[in-house]
Amino acid sequence: MDSIRLKARAKINLALDVTGKREDGYHEVRMVMQSINLYDSISLTKSREPGIRIRTNRAYLPTNEDNLIYKAVRLIMDEYGIHSGVDVVLEKFIPVAAGLAGGSSDAAAAMVGMTRLFSVKTSMTRLMELGVKVGADVPFCIMRGTVLAEGIGERLTRLEPMRSCPILIAKPGINVSTKYVYSNLILDEDTVHPDIDGMIDAIKRRDINGVCSKMGNVLESVTVREYPVIEEIKRQMMASGAINAMMSGSGPTVFGVFGNRRNAGACADVLRVTGIAKQIYITDVFHCFGR
């Protein structure tokens, strides 16, 4: 095999709780994460020329060691003694700096792709252990599916698959710094923590309404205050028939869970006309079969 192409899938946080802050500055989290069928495409090709070369359809993305793909490919090369050069082509569709783990998913796909391209004998568990060196979301993006994430996001437990349903993704024309959001998060007696265990039970019962009733993201207390457009998008989704709507990760992307694709499409049309969201996609959940 001289070349391989993989899909790097975005994620949403069905629930995101922050339970404390560690001495090393990282926050302890408890999250229900879900892969969705919105993805980037990554092609890896062996090259006789040493080094790592990245090309992408987005001019604003770095193509050097600042790109998580570069870090992921270099990590696999160093770990498994790979000396051949690699050419990478990234077709980027997942919104950037959006709370959808696009960069982490690209890195995860690159790690998986490298092991397949060079016939490296390893396990998903080992790749996930290596992935956390690239980013906290990378282990999940290697595992994918419906997952409970704990610790800093690296302790993962696979859950029953989320029932399929339309998901509307809407990102306003702003970018949000994850570091800023966590740095300004205040946890006190007024913090409303989502019912993670209740959501896991609803997922197990394949109860979409139950899942949606347990949705919650403590980071909204920071990001929504800073960017009110997020709340505007949520309100529009609810007015258009969403079962529930919430910000994903540290934002600013909002996702809405819909009972049918017609309502999701009508809401997408309204969001485009009003202009409060700049990147809009209708997708659904991904059940972790194949890349």
Side-chain angles (χ1 to χ4, degrees):
M1 181 188 298
D2 294 320
S3 184
I4 189 170
R5 185 173 183 175
L6 302 100
K7 295 175 180 177
R9 299 181 187 275
K11 63 84 182 167
I12 54 175
N13 298 92
L14 294 171
L16 193 163
D17 196 11
V18 179
T19 58
K21 189 174 183 179
R22 308 192 322 184
E23 290 184 1
D24 62 6
Y26 284 97
H27 285 78
E28 291 279 344
V29 298
R30 198 160 186 252
M31 309 181 288
V32 177
M33 305 175 78
Q34 175 63 55
S35 302
I36 58 175
N37 279 315
L38 172 62
Y39 55 85
D40 296 338
S41 176
I42 296 180
S43 298
L44 304 169
T45 304
K46 293 178 182 176
S47 173
R48 294 181 179 178
E49 184 181 347
I52 303 165
R53 289 161 296 280
I54 300 174
R55 291 187 292 119
T56 177
N57 61 333
R58 302 291 184 230
Y60 53 81
L61 292 177
T63 56
N64 55 15
E65 58 273 10
D66 293 329
N67 191 304
L68 291 185
I69 293 175
Y70 190 105
K71 294 178 181 179
V73 171
R74 174 55 63 192
L75 179 62
I76 296 298
M77 284 180 164
D78 293 344
E79 182 72 17
Y80 296 103
I82 296 170
H83 302 294
S84 172
V86 175
D87 293 325
V88 182
V89 178
L90 168 65
E91 294 180 80
K92 188 76 179 167
F93 302 103
I94 301 172
V96 174
L100 298 173
S104 294
S105 190
D106 294 343
M111 292 179 70
V112 172
M114 285 291 292
T115 62
R116 294 181 183 176
L117 188 62
F118 291 96
S119 302
V120 173
K121 296 187 182 302
T122 189
S123 65
M124 178 186 290
T125 299
R126 179 55 184 155
L127 278 185
M128 289 162 59
E129 291 171 351
L130 291 171
V132 76
K133 297 180 180 180
V134 181
D137 283 341
V138 174
F140 164 76
C141 293
I142 292 172
M143 177 181 277
R144 304 179 310 161
T146 311
V147 174
L148 171 67
E150 299 174 286
I152 63 170
E154 88 288 4
R155 295 205 324 264
L156 305 177
T157 305
R158 190 178 296 283
L159 302 174
E160 294 291 324
M162 169 80 167
R163 181 177 156 190
S164 294
C165 58
I167 305 288
L168 178 60
I169 301 293
K171 180 182 183 285
I174 54 176
N175 294 334
V176 171
S177 163
T178 299
K179 182 178 180 181
Y180 171 85
V181 174
Y182 275 98
S183 297
N184 286 274
L185 177 65
I186 298 173
L187 298 174
D188 55 27
E189 63 276 5
D190 295 325
T191 301
V192 179
H193 296 276
D195 181 3
I196 303 287
D197 293 331
M199 174 170 283
I200 292 171
D201 180 64
I203 290 171
K204 189 180 299 184
R205 291 186 283 106
R206 300 182 64 76
D207 177 4
I208 289 292
N209 289 321
V211 170
C212 289
S213 72
K214 303 298 183 182
M215 283 167 49
N217 182 347
V218 298
L219 299 182
E220 284 190 339
S221 63
V222 179
T223 315
V224 172
R225 182 180 65 242
E226 191 74 16
Y227 302 102
V229 66
I230 294 170
E231 190 63 40
E232 289 182 50
I233 295 172
K234 288 174 60 179
R235 282 198 299 268
Q236 185 57 64
M237 286 186 178
M238 296 301 294
S240 298
I243 305 172
N244 206 351
M246 190 177 80
M247 183 182 81
S248 182
S250 56
T253 300
V254 176
F255 69 92
V257 180
F258 285 80
N260 61 72
R261 203 169 182 90
R262 184 183 66 254
N263 286 350
C267 183
D269 290 341
V270 172
L271 292 174
R272 290 189 185 99
V273 169
T274 60
I276 59 175
K278 303 303 181 184
Q279 292 173 276
I280 302 167
Y281 303 90
I282 301 175
T283 183
D284 52 21
V285 301
F286 171 71
H287 289 136
C288 197
F289 303 119
R291 280 192 180 266

